[in-house]
Amino acid sequence: MSQDKNASNLPASWLWGAVALGALGVLGSYAAAGPERFWANWVFWFVLLFTLGLGSLFIVALEHLVNAKWSVPIRRIPERLATLLIPSIPVGLIALGAIPVLYPGARPEAAHHPLLAGKAFWLSMPFFSARTVVALALCLLGLWVLVGGSLKQDATKDPAFNFKARKFAPAFMAIFALVVTLVAFDWISGLTPEWYSDIFGVYVFAGAFLSGLAATALAVLHLQDQGRLEGVRGDHLYNLGGFLFAFTVFWSYIGFAQYMLMWYANLPDEVIWYKVRLQGSWHLITLVLAGLHFVLPFFALVTRDSKKDPRRLRRVAYLMLGAHVLDIYWLIFPILGASPRFSWPELSFALFFLGGILLWARGAMQKGEDMPVGDPFLREGLEFRL
Amino acid sequence: MPETSYAVLGVFETPDALMKAIPQARAAKLGTVEAYTPYAIHGIEEALGLRRSPLGGMVLVMGILGAITAFGFQYWISAIDYPIITGGKGAGSWEAFIPIMFEVTVLFATFTAGLGMLFLLNKLPFFGHPVLSSKSIKGITRDRYVLAVEAESEAFDSAAAARTLQAAGAIEIEALPAPDRSPFLTSDYILRTLGGIFIACVVAGLAMYFATKWFPVLAPMKYMHEQPRLNAQKASDFFKDGHGMQQPVPGTVARGYLPTATGTQEEAASLVNPLPRTPEVFALGKKVYTNRCEVCHGAVGNGVGSLTAAYGAKPANLQAQQFLDYPDGKIYWAIVNGKNSMPSHAPYLSERERWAVVDYVRALQRAQNAKDEDLKVATR
């Protein structure tokens, strides 16, 4: 039976058009809207792309770590999504250009700033860049071992990979924790270097994991629409939905814990970050974020059916991706001013990067087998029942 | 076969045989069809037509109720019943309520899940399910799969049930007689349990009491009691003067008692009464006046109160022309600072009460010097 692998997809030419049109806007925004706005957008998309890729890689690593069987049939999907880390490397390297513009800690004045002088070395351009390069390289390593190895196994059918991956996964968890924390601290909270929050890395991790899960769920459902991934059932979807449910709560827990402690202590260098986000239009966005990232998905996913039913799961997955985008926007854009910026530069960036991400993801979804056919546990995974 | 029967059990050798037999047993409509297997069999819930457990819904509802309860309690305590400002946060700060709301949500939800499952759905206390005393139970816990047709009423036809199960492929049939004693909790059992708990409590309490009394070394958990704290109205060697309670720092002002009218009475003349003249303000003023001023100044303010004779000094006649012409501020000043033999009332009256009584004095004066328009207003 020959399946049209592209059924129900946007035509590729549209996506290329979006990328081209977006690229024009992106270049234009540098000239017309100023470097600050350009770089804020660039960093925003770098963080989104990176969290999506890394979140997906985390799913893969987690499954190896706990030796999960249920997820073997769908493991190829987060593996493919994790390859988004590859385009995130050039995007991240270009983002280094934002450091002198957006990051006060990397400016020469920082050496004399009473709060920044002590961390000036850490925040300085060379060390900052070096950390980013190391983080990206470590991600590539994880990608190479976990995803590359799995792809190779399709042909070799060698169960040795499973043992190797299971041994590598714990090490990768440590690497992952380091990388997520570094990227969160450097690229996001580095925008306001006077502010610090110990739990910030965990907060960004929660968002990254959620975005990876939501993208995985969407891709699985999408491939199923095309008649692919045969054998993946409501039971598998249920687990994805359960993860989504658990981690929306986790995200909210971390987000609120961070807020509550700062609100209680009311220390000027800590609350200022929230004060900005609790005034004017940002206040509204904060409330909307809480609604979209917690309240709505919580009630949407709380029943058993909503996790099993493809239609409802798809809606929640879209919602979670949107909420993650809003979350990162909420983290980054307040540096541009009290009124949230959203007009043609943001739209151009969205066209450019969304088009690019979709093109990449679509390409990835066509490559190789849809399931890790060489994995000895595939059958067991297919037989998984709740 | 015995007269009354609890259920008829049919033993099967494989899960597949069991699954195949389920539709036939259900179609016969003789009683409730139940399966007993050594492990969970996929798809058996649907085959048996088990209804979705209502537990999830119960947990959700109770969880939400828990959140609302916790919020309500905290809000009522800290914003309505005894509004208190802690750590500079307003009285109704919802942020501080969230951890407790979370805890209570979890508490309500888990208790509902646990107790609801045990008592509502599994019908505890249910001592010894009759199937546990069947012959087939050994097989059920090992390698046999049992389908039971359980009696729903007195009219249960156990012979027909046995035939149906046999026809469906059961290799063995066992009729399970109804248990001679109710498997449910009896009042006799409840009484004995409660009595036992009561006696245990009494014994434990007495043992604790005498243990700590006779062997003070064993005093349990006295850390709270022995903490180095300052007790109100008690001596303490922490401070040089040996007092547990200290004078407030000079210049300390209690909330709502900001010093006003600190200058001379003439300077206070320009103070403006901040209160609106509403019935509540007059009611408050009347209360304060009756409690605090009437004994000296008399019910109508004419300077003849019940204490006047005993007091010696003559309280001012507030109806005198001099006081009719007084600005509010000067009356206020007299209340705060006192005047000659009239003591200061500042320690007893809040800002609001002071001004309210000023208004009330004005009302008394007006009442004694009513004009024609006032009558019109009063009789309208």
Side-chain angles (χ1 to χ4, degrees), chain A residues 249 253 256 259-260 262-266 298-299 302 304-305 383-386, chain B residues 42 45 52-53 60 64 86-90 93-99 102:
Chain A
V249 178
Y253 181 85
F256 181 74
Y259 168 68
M260 197 189 74
M262 297 198 171
W263 168 81
Y264 239 128
N266 209 12
F298 181 87
F299 286 102
V302 77
R304 190 196 290 185
D305 294 327
E383 272 167 15
F384 166 74
R385 298 284 192 292
L386 279 176
Chain B
H42 288 308
E45 310 97 281
R52 175 72 60 83
S53 159
L60 180 67
I64 294 174
T86 356
K89 310 294 179 204
S93 299
W94 61 270
E95 288 94 338
F97 302 165
I98 299 263
F102 173 78

mmCIF file of all heavy atoms in Angstrom, chain A residues 249 253 256 259-260 262-266 298-299 302 304-305 383-386, chain B residues 42 45 52-53 60 64 86-90 93-99 102:
data_model
loop_
_atom_site.group_PDB
_atom_site.id
_atom_site.type_symbol
_atom_site.label_atom_id
_atom_site.label_comp_id
_atom_site.label_asym_id
_atom_site.label_seq_id
_atom_site.Cartn_x
_atom_site.Cartn_y
_atom_site.Cartn_z
ATOM 1 N N VAL A 249 1.625 20.719 35.397
ATOM 2 C CA VAL A 249 1.537 20.970 36.836
ATOM 3 C C VAL A 249 2.924 21.280 37.395
ATOM 4 O O VAL A 249 3.099 22.194 38.199
ATOM 5 C CB VAL A 249 0.904 19.767 37.552
ATOM 6 C CG1 VAL A 249 0.851 19.999 39.039
ATOM 7 C CG2 VAL A 249 -0.485 19.509 37.010
ATOM 8 N N TYR A 253 4.097 24.588 39.267
ATOM 9 C CA TYR A 253 4.633 24.470 40.620
ATOM 10 C C TYR A 253 5.936 25.252 40.726
ATOM 11 O O TYR A 253 6.115 26.070 41.637
ATOM 12 C CB TYR A 253 4.857 22.992 40.912
ATOM 13 C CG TYR A 253 5.382 22.695 42.278
ATOM 14 C CD1 TYR A 253 4.524 22.568 43.358
ATOM 15 C CD2 TYR A 253 6.741 22.541 42.499
ATOM 16 C CE1 TYR A 253 5.009 22.294 44.622
ATOM 17 C CE2 TYR A 253 7.226 22.268 43.754
ATOM 18 C CZ TYR A 253 6.362 22.140 44.807
ATOM 19 O OH TYR A 253 6.844 21.881 46.045
ATOM 20 N N PHE A 256 5.334 29.033 40.185
ATOM 21 C CA PHE A 256 4.727 29.704 41.338
ATOM 22 C C PHE A 256 5.684 29.741 42.517
ATOM 23 O O PHE A 256 5.757 30.741 43.232
ATOM 24 C CB PHE A 256 3.415 29.026 41.746
ATOM 25 C CG PHE A 256 2.785 29.728 42.899
ATOM 26 C CD1 PHE A 256 2.168 30.942 42.719
ATOM 27 C CD2 PHE A 256 2.878 29.222 44.176
ATOM 28 C CE1 PHE A 256 1.630 31.626 43.784
ATOM 29 C CE2 PHE A 256 2.354 29.897 45.254
ATOM 30 C CZ PHE A 256 1.715 31.095 45.053
ATOM 31 N N TYR A 259 7.956 32.551 42.085
ATOM 32 C CA TYR A 259 7.267 33.821 42.308
ATOM 33 C C TYR A 259 6.994 34.046 43.792
ATOM 34 O O TYR A 259 7.244 35.114 44.333
ATOM 35 C CB TYR A 259 5.966 33.854 41.514
ATOM 36 C CG TYR A 259 5.064 34.999 41.903
ATOM 37 C CD1 TYR A 259 5.441 36.308 41.623
ATOM 38 C CD2 TYR A 259 3.869 34.781 42.571
ATOM 39 C CE1 TYR A 259 4.639 37.364 41.991
ATOM 40 C CE2 TYR A 259 3.068 35.834 42.939
ATOM 41 C CZ TYR A 259 3.448 37.119 42.642
ATOM 42 O OH TYR A 259 2.670 38.164 43.024
ATOM 43 N N MET A 260 6.475 32.994 44.446
ATOM 44 C CA MET A 260 6.017 33.216 45.818
ATOM 45 C C MET A 260 7.170 33.596 46.740
ATOM 46 O O MET A 260 7.038 34.492 47.571
ATOM 47 C CB MET A 260 5.302 31.996 46.363
ATOM 48 C CG MET A 260 4.487 32.363 47.579
ATOM 49 S SD MET A 260 3.823 30.960 48.421
ATOM 50 C CE MET A 260 5.266 30.333 49.183
ATOM 51 N N MET A 262 9.933 35.080 46.004
ATOM 52 C CA MET A 262 10.390 36.441 45.740
ATOM 53 C C MET A 262 9.372 37.452 46.236
ATOM 54 O O MET A 262 9.711 38.480 46.801
ATOM 55 C CB MET A 262 10.638 36.621 44.252
ATOM 56 C CG MET A 262 11.734 35.711 43.819
ATOM 57 S SD MET A 262 12.426 36.185 42.272
ATOM 58 C CE MET A 262 13.802 35.067 42.245
ATOM 59 N N TRP A 263 8.118 37.134 46.018
ATOM 60 C CA TRP A 263 7.050 38.028 46.468
ATOM 61 C C TRP A 263 7.115 38.187 47.986
ATOM 62 O O TRP A 263 6.969 39.286 48.525
ATOM 63 C CB TRP A 263 5.718 37.438 46.030
ATOM 64 C CG TRP A 263 4.516 38.064 46.644
ATOM 65 C CD1 TRP A 263 3.916 39.207 46.251
ATOM 66 C CD2 TRP A 263 3.784 37.570 47.761
ATOM 67 N NE1 TRP A 263 2.840 39.470 47.059
ATOM 68 C CE2 TRP A 263 2.733 38.481 47.992
ATOM 69 C CE3 TRP A 263 3.901 36.451 48.583
ATOM 70 C CZ2 TRP A 263 1.813 38.311 49.013
ATOM 71 C CZ3 TRP A 263 2.991 36.284 49.597
ATOM 72 C CH2 TRP A 263 1.967 37.206 49.807
ATOM 73 N N TYR A 264 7.349 37.081 48.672
ATOM 74 C CA TYR A 264 7.380 37.122 50.132
ATOM 75 C C TYR A 264 8.563 37.920 50.640
ATOM 76 O O TYR A 264 8.437 38.799 51.483
ATOM 77 C CB TYR A 264 7.469 35.695 50.692
ATOM 78 C CG TYR A 264 6.312 35.362 51.584
ATOM 79 C CD1 TYR A 264 5.553 34.229 51.392
ATOM 80 C CD2 TYR A 264 5.982 36.222 52.636
ATOM 81 C CE1 TYR A 264 4.473 33.951 52.188
ATOM 82 C CE2 TYR A 264 4.908 35.923 53.436
ATOM 83 C CZ TYR A 264 4.155 34.796 53.206
ATOM 84 O OH TYR A 264 3.084 34.517 54.002
ATOM 85 N N ALA A 265 9.748 37.588 50.121
ATOM 86 C CA ALA A 265 10.948 38.240 50.629
ATOM 87 C C ALA A 265 10.984 39.700 50.213
ATOM 88 O O ALA A 265 11.487 40.546 50.960
ATOM 89 C CB ALA A 265 12.178 37.523 50.108
ATOM 90 N N ASN A 266 10.444 39.984 49.029
ATOM 91 C CA ASN A 266 10.319 41.366 48.595
ATOM 92 C C ASN A 266 11.666 42.083 48.550
ATOM 93 O O ASN A 266 11.760 43.244 48.953
ATOM 94 C CB ASN A 266 9.364 42.106 49.524
ATOM 95 C CG ASN A 266 8.658 43.229 48.817
ATOM 96 O OD1 ASN A 266 8.716 43.318 47.593
ATOM 97 N ND2 ASN A 266 8.009 44.103 49.570
ATOM 98 N N PHE A 298 -4.695 22.008 32.374
ATOM 99 C CA PHE A 298 -4.988 21.145 33.525
ATOM 100 C C PHE A 298 -6.371 20.537 33.385
ATOM 101 O O PHE A 298 -6.562 19.331 33.469
ATOM 102 C CB PHE A 298 -4.896 21.944 34.820
ATOM 103 C CG PHE A 298 -5.162 21.118 36.053
ATOM 104 C CD1 PHE A 298 -4.150 20.425 36.670
ATOM 105 C CD2 PHE A 298 -6.450 21.017 36.573
ATOM 106 C CE1 PHE A 298 -4.392 19.652 37.789
ATOM 107 C CE2 PHE A 298 -6.710 20.243 37.690
ATOM 108 C CZ PHE A 298 -5.668 19.568 38.300
ATOM 109 N N PHE A 299 -7.354 21.411 33.141
ATOM 110 C CA PHE A 299 -8.711 20.882 33.059
ATOM 111 C C PHE A 299 -8.942 20.148 31.737
ATOM 112 O O PHE A 299 -9.761 19.240 31.664
ATOM 113 C CB PHE A 299 -9.737 21.992 33.282
ATOM 114 C CG PHE A 299 -9.796 22.380 34.725
ATOM 115 C CD1 PHE A 299 -9.172 23.532 35.177
ATOM 116 C CD2 PHE A 299 -10.421 21.571 35.653
ATOM 117 C CE1 PHE A 299 -9.184 23.870 36.524
ATOM 118 C CE2 PHE A 299 -10.445 21.895 36.997
ATOM 119 C CZ PHE A 299 -9.822 23.049 37.423
ATOM 120 N N VAL A 302 -7.374 16.560 32.439
ATOM 121 C CA VAL A 302 -7.557 15.840 33.689
ATOM 122 C C VAL A 302 -8.327 14.532 33.499
ATOM 123 O O VAL A 302 -8.107 13.567 34.211
ATOM 124 C CB VAL A 302 -8.202 16.761 34.757
ATOM 125 C CG1 VAL A 302 -9.676 16.918 34.503
ATOM 126 C CG2 VAL A 302 -7.928 16.252 36.143
ATOM 127 N N ARG A 304 -9.533 10.928 31.685
ATOM 128 C CA ARG A 304 -8.797 9.864 31.018
ATOM 129 C C ARG A 304 -8.980 9.954 29.503
ATOM 130 O O ARG A 304 -8.038 9.802 28.746
ATOM 131 C CB ARG A 304 -9.302 8.512 31.517
ATOM 132 C CG ARG A 304 -8.429 7.380 31.059
ATOM 133 C CD ARG A 304 -9.106 6.057 31.198
ATOM 134 N NE ARG A 304 -9.259 5.662 32.592
ATOM 135 C CZ ARG A 304 -9.747 4.475 32.946
ATOM 136 N NH1 ARG A 304 -10.108 3.613 32.024
ATOM 137 N NH2 ARG A 304 -9.892 4.168 34.206
ATOM 138 N N ASP A 305 -10.212 10.249 29.090
ATOM 139 C CA ASP A 305 -10.485 10.267 27.652
ATOM 140 C C ASP A 305 -9.671 11.322 26.931
ATOM 141 O O ASP A 305 -9.245 11.119 25.807
ATOM 142 C CB ASP A 305 -11.970 10.535 27.414
ATOM 143 C CG ASP A 305 -12.800 9.392 27.938
ATOM 144 O OD1 ASP A 305 -12.305 8.258 27.877
ATOM 145 O OD2 ASP A 305 -13.917 9.639 28.417
ATOM 146 N N GLU A 383 2.807 -3.892 21.895
ATOM 147 C CA GLU A 383 1.767 -4.622 22.615
ATOM 148 C C GLU A 383 1.358 -3.933 23.894
ATOM 149 O O GLU A 383 0.512 -4.426 24.634
ATOM 150 C CB GLU A 383 2.257 -6.041 22.927
ATOM 151 C CG GLU A 383 1.936 -6.958 21.771
ATOM 152 C CD GLU A 383 2.662 -8.269 21.870
ATOM 153 O OE1 GLU A 383 3.175 -8.583 22.952
ATOM 154 O OE2 GLU A 383 2.716 -8.968 20.841
ATOM 155 N N PHE A 384 1.963 -2.779 24.135
ATOM 156 C CA PHE A 384 1.697 -2.087 25.403
ATOM 157 C C PHE A 384 0.208 -1.757 25.553
ATOM 158 O O PHE A 384 -0.433 -1.231 24.656
ATOM 159 C CB PHE A 384 2.516 -0.806 25.453
ATOM 160 C CG PHE A 384 2.097 0.135 26.524
ATOM 161 C CD1 PHE A 384 2.407 -0.138 27.848
ATOM 162 C CD2 PHE A 384 1.376 1.285 26.235
ATOM 163 C CE1 PHE A 384 2.012 0.722 28.843
ATOM 164 C CE2 PHE A 384 0.984 2.138 27.235
ATOM 165 C CZ PHE A 384 1.299 1.853 28.535
ATOM 166 N N ARG A 385 -0.315 -2.156 26.714
ATOM 167 C CA ARG A 385 -1.682 -1.746 27.083
ATOM 168 C C ARG A 385 -1.605 -1.069 28.429
ATOM 169 O O ARG A 385 -0.761 -1.412 29.236
ATOM 170 C CB ARG A 385 -2.599 -2.956 27.219
ATOM 171 C CG ARG A 385 -2.805 -3.759 25.997
ATOM 172 C CD ARG A 385 -3.746 -3.077 25.031
ATOM 173 N NE ARG A 385 -4.154 -4.007 23.976
ATOM 174 C CZ ARG A 385 -3.335 -4.475 23.059
ATOM 175 N NH1 ARG A 385 -2.072 -4.133 23.067
ATOM 176 N NH2 ARG A 385 -3.768 -5.307 22.129
ATOM 177 N N LEU A 386 -2.526 -0.185 28.651
ATOM 178 C CA LEU A 386 -2.532 0.523 29.933
ATOM 179 C C LEU A 386 -2.789 -0.435 31.073
ATOM 180 O O LEU A 386 -3.566 -1.356 30.939
ATOM 181 C CB LEU A 386 -3.625 1.576 29.922
ATOM 182 C CG LEU A 386 -3.240 2.853 29.220
ATOM 183 C CD1 LEU A 386 -4.439 3.783 29.201
ATOM 184 C CD2 LEU A 386 -2.087 3.531 29.920
ATOM 185 N N HIS B 42 -5.845 -7.810 29.657
ATOM 186 C CA HIS B 42 -6.188 -6.626 28.862
ATOM 187 C C HIS B 42 -7.538 -6.799 28.197
ATOM 188 O O HIS B 42 -7.836 -7.857 27.656
ATOM 189 C CB HIS B 42 -5.128 -6.384 27.798
ATOM 190 C CG HIS B 42 -3.849 -5.889 28.389
ATOM 191 N ND1 HIS B 42 -3.810 -4.809 29.234
ATOM 192 C CD2 HIS B 42 -2.574 -6.327 28.269
ATOM 193 C CE1 HIS B 42 -2.567 -4.602 29.613
ATOM 194 N NE2 HIS B 42 -1.791 -5.507 29.061
ATOM 195 N N GLU B 45 -12.146 -5.406 31.048
ATOM 196 C CA GLU B 45 -13.150 -4.456 31.557
ATOM 197 C C GLU B 45 -14.257 -4.276 30.525
ATOM 198 O O GLU B 45 -15.436 -4.296 30.855
ATOM 199 C CB GLU B 45 -12.578 -3.067 31.844
ATOM 200 C CG GLU B 45 -11.348 -2.992 32.673
ATOM 201 C CD GLU B 45 -10.108 -2.880 31.825
ATOM 202 O OE1 GLU B 45 -9.706 -3.950 31.324
ATOM 203 O OE2 GLU B 45 -9.563 -1.787 31.657
ATOM 204 N N ARG B 52 -17.190 2.700 33.940
ATOM 205 C CA ARG B 52 -16.049 3.514 34.330
ATOM 206 C C ARG B 52 -16.211 3.915 35.788
ATOM 207 O O ARG B 52 -17.286 4.338 36.213
ATOM 208 C CB ARG B 52 -16.021 4.760 33.429
ATOM 209 C CG ARG B 52 -14.974 5.773 33.758
ATOM 210 C CD ARG B 52 -13.588 5.306 33.382
ATOM 211 N NE ARG B 52 -13.432 5.029 31.966
ATOM 212 C CZ ARG B 52 -13.172 5.980 31.052
ATOM 213 N NH1 ARG B 52 -13.093 7.225 31.416
ATOM 214 N NH2 ARG B 52 -13.010 5.657 29.800
ATOM 215 N N SER B 53 -15.150 3.730 36.548
ATOM 216 C CA SER B 53 -15.232 4.046 37.975
ATOM 217 C C SER B 53 -15.534 5.532 38.180
ATOM 218 O O SER B 53 -14.947 6.386 37.526
ATOM 219 C CB SER B 53 -13.906 3.706 38.643
ATOM 220 O OG SER B 53 -13.781 4.422 39.837
ATOM 221 N N LEU B 60 -11.862 14.699 41.616
ATOM 222 C CA LEU B 60 -11.777 16.042 41.041
ATOM 223 C C LEU B 60 -12.644 17.015 41.835
ATOM 224 O O LEU B 60 -12.207 18.092 42.231
ATOM 225 C CB LEU B 60 -12.204 16.012 39.573
ATOM 226 C CG LEU B 60 -12.145 17.367 38.869
ATOM 227 C CD1 LEU B 60 -10.705 17.823 38.733
ATOM 228 C CD2 LEU B 60 -12.792 17.316 37.502
ATOM 229 N N ILE B 64 -11.258 20.167 44.073
ATOM 230 C CA ILE B 64 -11.643 21.562 43.871
ATOM 231 C C ILE B 64 -12.263 22.114 45.148
ATOM 232 O O ILE B 64 -11.966 23.234 45.581
ATOM 233 C CB ILE B 64 -12.619 21.673 42.685
ATOM 234 C CG1 ILE B 64 -11.893 21.294 41.392
ATOM 235 C CG2 ILE B 64 -13.188 23.068 42.577
ATOM 236 C CD1 ILE B 64 -12.784 21.237 40.182
ATOM 237 N N THR B 86 0.918 40.866 57.779
ATOM 238 C CA THR B 86 2.163 40.188 58.160
ATOM 239 C C THR B 86 3.195 40.448 57.081
ATOM 240 O O THR B 86 2.888 40.340 55.899
ATOM 241 C CB THR B 86 1.993 38.661 58.242
ATOM 242 O OG1 THR B 86 0.638 38.360 58.006
ATOM 243 C CG2 THR B 86 2.453 38.130 59.554
ATOM 244 N N GLY B 87 4.392 40.719 57.516
ATOM 245 C CA GLY B 87 5.484 40.891 56.567
ATOM 246 C C GLY B 87 5.191 41.955 55.532
ATOM 247 O O GLY B 87 5.662 41.863 54.407
ATOM 248 N N GLY B 88 4.387 42.929 55.893
ATOM 249 C CA GLY B 88 4.110 44.014 54.963
ATOM 250 C C GLY B 88 3.172 43.638 53.837
ATOM 251 O O GLY B 88 2.999 44.390 52.898
ATOM 252 N N LYS B 89 2.565 42.440 53.906
ATOM 253 C CA LYS B 89 1.635 42.044 52.848
ATOM 254 C C LYS B 89 0.210 42.364 53.290
ATOM 255 O O LYS B 89 -0.131 42.206 54.457
ATOM 256 C CB LYS B 89 1.726 40.543 52.580
ATOM 257 C CG LYS B 89 3.123 40.043 52.368
ATOM 258 C CD LYS B 89 3.722 40.595 51.105
ATOM 259 C CE LYS B 89 5.133 40.082 50.937
ATOM 260 N NZ LYS B 89 5.951 40.949 50.098
ATOM 261 N N GLY B 90 -0.595 42.763 52.353
ATOM 262 C CA GLY B 90 -1.977 43.098 52.660
ATOM 263 C C GLY B 90 -2.712 41.909 53.258
ATOM 264 O O GLY B 90 -2.274 40.769 53.143
ATOM 265 N N SER B 93 -3.781 38.604 50.972
ATOM 266 C CA SER B 93 -2.797 38.238 49.944
ATOM 267 C C SER B 93 -2.958 36.790 49.517
ATOM 268 O O SER B 93 -2.561 35.874 50.231
ATOM 269 C CB SER B 93 -1.385 38.447 50.472
ATOM 270 O OG SER B 93 -1.207 39.788 50.789
ATOM 271 N N TRP B 94 -3.502 36.586 48.325
ATOM 272 C CA TRP B 94 -3.806 35.224 47.888
ATOM 273 C C TRP B 94 -2.537 34.408 47.687
ATOM 274 O O TRP B 94 -2.546 33.192 47.818
ATOM 275 C CB TRP B 94 -4.614 35.258 46.596
ATOM 276 C CG TRP B 94 -3.888 35.915 45.474
ATOM 277 C CD1 TRP B 94 -3.920 37.241 45.164
ATOM 278 C CD2 TRP B 94 -2.999 35.314 44.537
ATOM 279 N NE1 TRP B 94 -3.112 37.495 44.093
ATOM 280 C CE2 TRP B 94 -2.533 36.331 43.681
ATOM 281 C CE3 TRP B 94 -2.559 34.015 44.324
ATOM 282 C CZ2 TRP B 94 -1.643 36.103 42.654
ATOM 283 C CZ3 TRP B 94 -1.668 33.784 43.284
ATOM 284 C CH2 TRP B 94 -1.213 34.815 42.465
ATOM 285 N N GLU B 95 -1.430 35.073 47.363
ATOM 286 C CA GLU B 95 -0.197 34.318 47.098
ATOM 287 C C GLU B 95 0.137 33.418 48.284
ATOM 288 O O GLU B 95 0.530 32.269 48.112
ATOM 289 C CB GLU B 95 0.969 35.267 46.865
ATOM 290 C CG GLU B 95 0.929 35.998 45.541
ATOM 291 C CD GLU B 95 0.263 37.353 45.660
ATOM 292 O OE1 GLU B 95 -0.519 37.554 46.605
ATOM 293 O OE2 GLU B 95 0.532 38.215 44.803
ATOM 294 N N ALA B 96 -0.030 33.993 49.487
ATOM 295 C CA ALA B 96 0.354 33.242 50.677
ATOM 296 C C ALA B 96 -0.597 32.073 50.921
ATOM 297 O O ALA B 96 -0.259 31.146 51.635
ATOM 298 C CB ALA B 96 0.363 34.162 51.882
ATOM 299 N N PHE B 97 -1.766 32.109 50.314
ATOM 300 C CA PHE B 97 -2.747 31.039 50.564
ATOM 301 C C PHE B 97 -2.459 29.805 49.719
ATOM 302 O O PHE B 97 -2.912 28.713 50.021
ATOM 303 C CB PHE B 97 -4.164 31.503 50.228
ATOM 304 C CG PHE B 97 -4.615 32.706 50.996
ATOM 305 C CD1 PHE B 97 -5.723 33.424 50.583
ATOM 306 C CD2 PHE B 97 -3.940 33.138 52.134
ATOM 307 C CE1 PHE B 97 -6.144 34.540 51.280
ATOM 308 C CE2 PHE B 97 -4.356 34.251 52.834
ATOM 309 C CZ PHE B 97 -5.461 34.954 52.397
ATOM 310 N N ILE B 98 -1.743 30.005 48.607
ATOM 311 C CA ILE B 98 -1.624 28.921 47.627
ATOM 312 C C ILE B 98 -1.013 27.640 48.222
ATOM 313 O O ILE B 98 -1.558 26.556 47.996
ATOM 314 C CB ILE B 98 -0.817 29.389 46.397
ATOM 315 C CG1 ILE B 98 -1.542 30.545 45.754
ATOM 316 C CG2 ILE B 98 -0.566 28.244 45.444
ATOM 317 C CD1 ILE B 98 -2.409 30.210 44.589
ATOM 318 N N PRO B 99 0.097 27.728 48.974
ATOM 319 C CA PRO B 99 0.644 26.459 49.488
ATOM 320 C C PRO B 99 -0.375 25.682 50.309
ATOM 321 O O PRO B 99 -0.512 24.469 50.147
ATOM 322 C CB PRO B 99 1.831 26.901 50.340
ATOM 323 C CG PRO B 99 2.235 28.203 49.757
ATOM 324 C CD PRO B 99 0.973 28.855 49.302
ATOM 325 N N PHE B 102 -2.911 24.195 48.071
ATOM 326 C CA PHE B 102 -2.349 23.015 47.422
ATOM 327 C C PHE B 102 -2.430 21.815 48.367
ATOM 328 O O PHE B 102 -2.920 20.745 47.991
ATOM 329 C CB PHE B 102 -0.902 23.326 47.034
ATOM 330 C CG PHE B 102 -0.141 22.160 46.497
ATOM 331 C CD1 PHE B 102 -0.334 21.745 45.192
ATOM 332 C CD2 PHE B 102 0.765 21.489 47.287
ATOM 333 C CE1 PHE B 102 0.372 20.677 44.696
ATOM 334 C CE2 PHE B 102 1.469 20.417 46.788
ATOM 335 C CZ PHE B 102 1.274 20.004 45.497
#
